Amino acid sequence: PYPHGRYKRSQTAKNRFKRIHPCPSTGKSKGACPGWVIDHIRPLACGGPDAPSNMQWQTITDAKAKDRWERKDCR
């Protein structure tokens, strides 16, 4: 992990995920996705893989809520 509990994410894995699952708000596989973030289903902090099979689109609001309870359960 990096300082402040962050983990290095693979840009290659993220790009592969976007090719398979385009942005829900724009329908595009490249560029920004307003209102959405790519989330790890099983968090990296809990041993989840940094792979497209462990990623999902999530609204920013839902991602913030999920991050709060994940930090309590995984660390």
Side-chain angles (χ1 to χ4, degrees):
Y2 282 98
H4 310 293
R6 298 203 175 250
Y7 286 77
K8 182 171 173 68
R9 295 182 61 175
S10 166
Q11 190 63 44
T12 302
K14 224 172 136 177
N15 290 339
R16 268 189 276 155
F17 172 81
K18 287 171 108 176
R19 280 195 302 273
I20 300 165
H21 305 282
C23 169
S25 64
T26 66
K28 296 181 180 181
S29 296
K30 293 183 180 182
C33 188
W36 295 81
V37 295
I38 296 174
D39 175 66
H40 286 87
I41 298 164
R42 182 170 181 216
L44 298 177
C46 295
D50 194 14
S53 61
N54 187 42
M55 296 177 183
Q56 65 183 352
W57 284 109
Q58 197 169 47
T59 65
I60 293 171
T61 302
D62 288 345
K64 286 181 182 180
K66 183 176 177 247
D67 286 348
R68 279 192 292 276
W69 64 260
E70 279 177 348
R71 287 191 183 112
K72 292 177 190 172
D73 293 344
C74 294
R75 295 172 196 233

